[in-house]
Amino acid sequence: QVQLVESGGGLVQAGGSLRLSCAASGSISRINVMGWYRQVPGKQRDMVATITSGGETTYAESVKGRFTISISRDNANKTVYLQMNSLKPEDTAVYSCNARIWTALGKLLNYWGQGTQVTVSS
């Protein structure tokens, strides 16, 4: 009964920007960590960034130092965002939202969104 729905992916030229959104809905008591992961064909899914309910962020080494990528969340609306500026072709991947959620039944479970394609053309 819990869903994560992503939006905001698409095709963009190198140097462009995208803002990904992921909204959680359903029988949710509380959301702990939320995050974004990405995967390219033939490779494992890698963490891009995570954010706690208190706003503490973690970024993958591959994107750390790129001040053009930023994760944020709106706790009231159960939504997490990933702002990506100055995109590069190597950022092309399927981006998936993840959340650790306390359900209304008192279970702490891990949920994934369906994924959204981000394609950066050179």
Side-chain angles (χ1 to χ4, degrees):
Q1 291 91 353
V2 174
Q3 279 190 315
L4 299 180
V5 179
E6 297 126 334
S7 60
L11 173 64
V12 63
Q13 289 187 332
S17 299
L18 284 174
R19 188 191 194 206
L20 306 183
S21 300
C22 171
S25 63
S27 301
I28 297 170
S29 176
R30 182 164 53 91
I31 303 177
N32 285 0
V33 178
M34 302 184 83
W36 287 96
Y37 293 71
R38 64 186 180 186
Q39 187 174 25
V40 298
K43 293 189 176 182
Q44 68 179 21
R45 182 161 53 190
D46 293 325
M47 185 270 285
V48 177
T50 63
I51 184 168
T52 68
S53 57
E56 294 181 24
T57 59
T58 302
Y59 292 92
E61 288 297 325
S62 60
V63 301
K64 196 181 295 183
R66 289 180 60 183
F67 299 105
T68 56
I69 291 182
S70 177
I71 189 170
S72 60
R73 66 189 275 177
D74 179 346
N75 289 327
N77 290 303
K78 302 182 182 67
T79 301
V80 64
Y81 305 96
L82 188 70
Q83 178 68 46
M84 302 186 290
N85 302 323
S86 299
L87 282 161
K88 302 177 180 180
E90 52 262 43
D91 293 317
T92 295
V94 174
Y95 285 71
S96 298
C97 170
N98 174 269
R100 295 278 287 172
I101 295 175
W102 282 99
T103 70
L105 296 178
K107 295 183 178 180
L108 180 60
L109 299 175
N110 196 44
Y111 290 92
W112 289 93
Q114 80 282 2
T116 185
Q117 177 70 45
V118 171
T119 302
V120 184
S121 63
S122 58

